[in-house]
């Protein structure tokens, strides 16, 4: 999809669809009895384009278009415009409209119009639109264009996609905003790259294939790539990771993607660590078959790290960043790990594996120790770690855990700029009580309650004392039902937040 800025009047632009955002009128937002404005009068905030024909006022009066968020109406052959269609799209209540909604509006336009044969879209923004709005629209349009149709024969014959998306800002300096388009493009393409990886079925995307994908990113975008195979991990003593891998005929890998800025005064070194279980059967503590097919997305953390490193290589933050991804398949063969097995992690701690389905924390334990040994001063991990996080937070917020409050606040600020939601979860020492093993230093599960918190405490045992944030993305990395702005399937969550965190780094520890 080609994205550009247009600063001249859109009246004469030939496009399949010219879109304008219209907000809820006050009377629809808060009905007033006895004092309602005259019907048919255009709302003061309606853009001229939409208001001039009286069409919008008619739609508003009839109740067909109220300005509700993401609602839209299409007028064909609009008078006085070269566009084939005029699309009004709802912005909801104006004071609540932010970059988050704007990003989604762009996505809704792309997703809904591409199925109607539209190939080119112009979205008109207000004169005052700024850089962050251009980034958001660019991201929303590209994210909205992604479909999980790689393995469908039909869409390839008749591709339904938007070829050109023009952001119209009357009177703006288009040159100045082109950097914003480029940034949005890099971020959204990285996120879509992550979604492509996450959507791959586990018969295609083995640990080896995911390592290859990381290697290609490294050579295409200029990152250092390093890989440890099973033998190298055994030599180092990564017993926790290897215990999970031993039940699969597909061998494990631990990959490293390193970005080094040309010059840096910072002594900080950011490590991003992602869970890469290419399929999670649960192991001997096997999962129920209902929904097990979704466990191909148990590598969304690793894919998110690879996607983030792809964007970081292009946007070049001032801080060194290293991405780590332990890649395994949690399967069941004659050599599979058993409940009750005791493994020795790279850190030297012994772990009693009470449940082989709590495998993500085992592979992350060794990856966190490895990141620490390789000079990380700050670590963020992302993992589809627990079903419990979905019970706690639903599908809208990643769970965020930390051993360093100030670091988390910095991450949350970055996530806000990126337009992603994370919610801080408790890490009181009390919860640590749940992690007691009679036979080893620690068990890999706690009690049923607070499952995402005990999982985080387990990881913390391997991250401390380095400032660390754990993101549980189990309930946010996959959409079960399509949204107007995003298709069903992988979301690519956390990619934009990671990149924003690295870009906003200004040396403070
Ligand atoms: N991969 C799962 C977590 C998961 C659940 C991801 C749902 C995506 C959607 C993880 O390895 C797991 O199985 N966790 C167990 C932990 C339990 C055994 C303590 C869980 O959440 O049930
Ligand atoms: Zn599991
Ligand atoms: Zn898992």
């Amino acid at each position: 999809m080609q994205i550009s800025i247009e600063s001249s009047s859109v009246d004469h632009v030939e496009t399949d669809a010219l879109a304008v955002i219209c907000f809820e009128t006050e009377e629809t937002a808060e009905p007033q009895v006895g004092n309602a404005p005259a019907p048919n009068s255009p709302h003061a905030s309606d853009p001229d384009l939409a208001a001039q024909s009286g069409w919008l006022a008619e739609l508003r009066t009839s109740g067909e278009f109220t300005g509700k968020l993401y609602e839209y109406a299409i007028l064909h052959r609009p008078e006085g415009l070269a566009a084939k269609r005029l699309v009004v799209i709802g912005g909801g209540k104006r004071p609540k409209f932010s970059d988050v909604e704007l990003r989604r509006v762009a996505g809704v336009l792309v997703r809904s119009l591409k199925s109607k044969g539209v190939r080119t879209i112009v979205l008109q923004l207000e004169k005052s639109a700024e850089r962050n709005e251009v980034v958001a629209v660019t991201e929303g349009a590209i994210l909205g264009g992604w479909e999980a149709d790689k393995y469908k024969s039909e869409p390839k014959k008749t591709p339904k996609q938007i070829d050109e998306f023009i952001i119209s800002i009357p009177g703006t300096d288009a040159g100045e905003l082109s950097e914003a388009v480029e940034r949005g493009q890099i971020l959204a393409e990285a996120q879509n790259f992550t979604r492509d990886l996450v959507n791959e079925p586990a018969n295609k995307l083995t640990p080896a294939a995911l390592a290859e994908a990381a290697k290609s990113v490294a050579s295409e975008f200029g990152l250092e790539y390093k890989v440890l195979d099973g033998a190298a991990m055994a030599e180092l003593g990564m017993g926790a990771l290897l215990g999970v891998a031993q039940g699969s005929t597909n061998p494990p890998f631990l990959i490293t993607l390193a970005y080094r800025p040309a010059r840096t005064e910072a002594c900080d070194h950011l490590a991003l660590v992602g869970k890469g279980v290419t399929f999670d059967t649960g192991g001997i503590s096997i999962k129920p078959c209902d929904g097990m097919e979704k466990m191909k997305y148990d590598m969304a953390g690793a894919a998110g790290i690879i996607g983030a490193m792809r964007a970081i290589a292009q946007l070049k933050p001032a801080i060194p960043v290293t991405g780590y991804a332990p890649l395994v398949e949690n399967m069941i063969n004659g050599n599979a790990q058993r409940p009750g097995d005791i493994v020795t992690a790279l850190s030297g701690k012994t772990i009693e594996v009470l449940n082989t389905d709590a495998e993500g924390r085992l592979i992350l334990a060794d990856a966190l120790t490895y990141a620490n040994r390789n000079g990380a001063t700050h670590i963020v991990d992302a993992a589809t770690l627990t079903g419990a996080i979905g019970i706690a937070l639903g599908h809208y917020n990643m769970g965020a855990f930390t051993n360093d409050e100030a670091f988390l606040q910095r991450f949350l600020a970055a996530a806000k700029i990126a337009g992603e939601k994370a919610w801080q979860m408790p890490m009181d020492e009390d919860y640590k009580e749940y992690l007691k093993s009679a036979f080893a230093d620690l068990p890999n599960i706690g009690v049923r309650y607070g499952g995402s918190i005990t999982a985080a405490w387990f990881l913390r045992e391997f991250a401390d004392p380095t400032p660390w944030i754990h993101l549980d993305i189990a309930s946010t990395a996959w959409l079960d039902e399509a949204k107007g702005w995003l298709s069903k399937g992988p979301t690519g969550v956390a990619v934009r937040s990671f990149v924003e965190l690295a870009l906003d780094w200004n040396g403070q520890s």
Side-chain angles (χ1 to χ4, degrees):
M1 189 187 303
Q2 184 79 28
I3 304 200
S4 57
I5 307 271
E6 175 64 58
S7 53
S8 56
S9 159
V10 287
D11 299 16
H12 304 291
V13 176
E14 288 181 11
T15 176
D16 290 341
L18 171 57
V20 283
I21 302 166
C22 297
F23 294 91
E24 281 180 32
T25 56
E26 274 137 41
E27 62 271 27
T28 37
E30 294 158 14
Q32 286 180 3
V33 183
N35 197 18
N40 266 335
S41 63
H43 187 250
S45 73
D46 282 346
D48 293 346
L49 271 177
Q52 63 199 5
S53 67
W55 166 69
L56 181 58
E58 249 180 79
L59 280 180
R60 283 196 191 275
T61 311
S62 68
E64 274 173 73
F65 179 84
T66 60
K68 226 176 97 193
L69 201 51
Y70 316 130
E71 171 191 50
Y72 63 88
I74 304 177
L75 176 71
H76 284 253
R77 300 261 160 231
E79 225 181 284
L81 296 173
K84 287 190 191 152
R85 300 170 184 80
L86 177 61
V87 183
V88 286
I89 181 155
K93 296 190 174 63
R94 193 175 194 120
K96 287 193 178 170
F97 191 78
S98 72
D99 292 354
V100 172
E101 288 75 27
L102 181 60
R103 186 180 289 101
R104 291 177 179 178
V105 158
V108 170
L109 286 171
V110 168
R111 273 178 58 72
S112 52
L113 294 175
K114 71 178 173 181
S115 63
K116 300 186 195 310
V118 167
R119 295 285 166 269
T120 59
I121 298 177
V122 177
L123 170 62
Q124 182 165 53
L125 299 184
E126 289 169 347
K127 284 194 179 79
S128 55
E130 288 173 1
R131 188 182 168 283
N132 53 316
E133 288 160 282
V134 171
V135 175
V137 168
T138 306
E139 289 172 353
I142 295 173
L143 296 172
W146 188 88
E147 292 292 340
D149 57 6
K150 180 173 170 192
Y151 293 103
K152 293 217 181 236
S153 326
E154 270 314 303
K156 283 196 191 122
K157 287 186 206 144
T158 48
K160 286 188 170 164
Q161 61 181 44
I162 302 298
D163 299 326
E164 190 176 33
F165 192 106
I166 297 174
I167 306 167
S168 154
I169 309 172
T172 194
D173 182 337
E176 256 180 36
L177 289 173
S178 63
E179 176 271 335
V181 171
E182 200 184 323
R183 184 178 175 127
Q185 247 162 346
I186 290 171
L187 285 164
E189 277 162 15
Q191 193 172 338
N192 281 350
F193 177 82
T194 292
R195 293 164 86 190
D196 278 332
L197 287 176
V198 175
N199 195 48
E200 283 295 316
N203 60 330
K204 311 264 182 206
L205 198 86
T206 56
L210 190 46
E212 267 312 302
K215 191 177 174 188
S216 306
V217 167
S219 62
E220 189 178 347
F221 297 96
L223 296 165
E224 287 166 30
Y225 171 78
K226 196 175 149 191
V227 61
L228 299 181
D229 62 11
M233 290 190 271
E235 180 119 335
L236 286 168
M238 295 188 171
L241 190 158
L242 291 170
V244 176
Q246 73 192 31
S248 173
T249 47
N250 287 315
F253 296 96
L254 173 62
I255 62 109
T256 306
L257 286 175
Y259 160 78
R260 299 289 175 261
R263 316 177 260 118
T264 180
E265 283 103 57
C267 13
D268 291 342
H269 181 161
L270 178 62
L272 305 174
V273 182
K275 171 178 172 181
V277 177
T278 56
F279 196 79
D280 182 10
T281 62
I284 298 291
S285 317
I286 193 166
K287 287 182 180 296
C289 49
D290 209 19
M292 203 207 271
E293 73 284 352
K294 277 180 28 192
M295 282 303 114
K296 68 173 187 178
Y297 90 82
D298 213 17
M299 35 58 75
I305 301 301
I306 299 169
M309 292 306 297
R310 185 188 197 262
I312 284 169
Q314 296 169 81
L315 292 168
K316 304 196 188 313
I319 181 181
V321 187
T322 308
Y324 298 89
L327 311 174
V328 303
E329 197 181 29
N330 191 21
M331 297 288 280
I332 311 163
N333 64 17
N335 195 39
Q337 170 161 265
R338 293 142 293 241
D341 282 4
I342 294 178
V343 293
T344 304
L346 176 61
S347 74
K349 286 195 171 115
T350 56
I351 304 165
E352 187 184 9
V353 181
L354 291 177
N355 189 317
T356 62
D357 197 10
E359 84 298 339
R361 61 198 80 178
L362 293 169
I363 66 167
L364 286 170
D366 283 344
L368 289 167
T369 305
Y370 189 65
N372 263 330
R373 290 197 183 166
N374 281 283
T377 62
H378 295 75
I379 304 178
V380 189
D381 79 65
T384 47
L385 206 63
T386 67
I389 200 66
I391 305 295
L393 297 177
H395 298 296
Y396 296 106
N397 274 278
M398 312 178 245
F401 304 79
T402 192
N403 61 1
D404 186 306
E405 196 56 42
F407 184 31
L408 181 64
Q409 289 315 317
R410 286 166 62 189
F411 175 81
L412 294 177
K416 192 154 197 260
I417 295 172
E420 295 191 308
K421 290 189 198 183
W423 193 262
Q424 183 172 9
M425 297 287 290
M427 282 292 288
D428 318 23
E429 299 271 336
D430 292 344
Y431 292 94
K432 214 173 148 185
E433 292 300 310
Y434 293 143
L435 277 181
K436 291 248 156 60
S437 163
F439 308 111
D441 296 339
L442 70 163
N444 75 328
I445 55 167
V447 296
R448 191 164 117 80
Y449 296 100
S452 62
I453 307 170
T454 40
W457 260 110
F458 180 94
L459 296 182
R460 182 170 173 172
E461 296 285 339
F462 301 89
D464 272 342
T466 307
W468 154 85
I469 295 164
H470 157 58
L471 302 173
D472 195 333
I473 57 168
S475 62
T476 44
W478 188 268
L479 263 184
D480 282 325
E481 295 293 338
K483 299 277 185 195
W485 56 90
L486 221 54
S487 67
K488 172 185 168 134
T491 60
V493 72
V495 169
R496 299 202 310 270
S497 299
F498 283 144
V499 181
E500 198 63 54
L501 178 69
L503 288 172
D504 297 349
W505 210 274
N506 52 16
Q508 80 268 55
S509 289

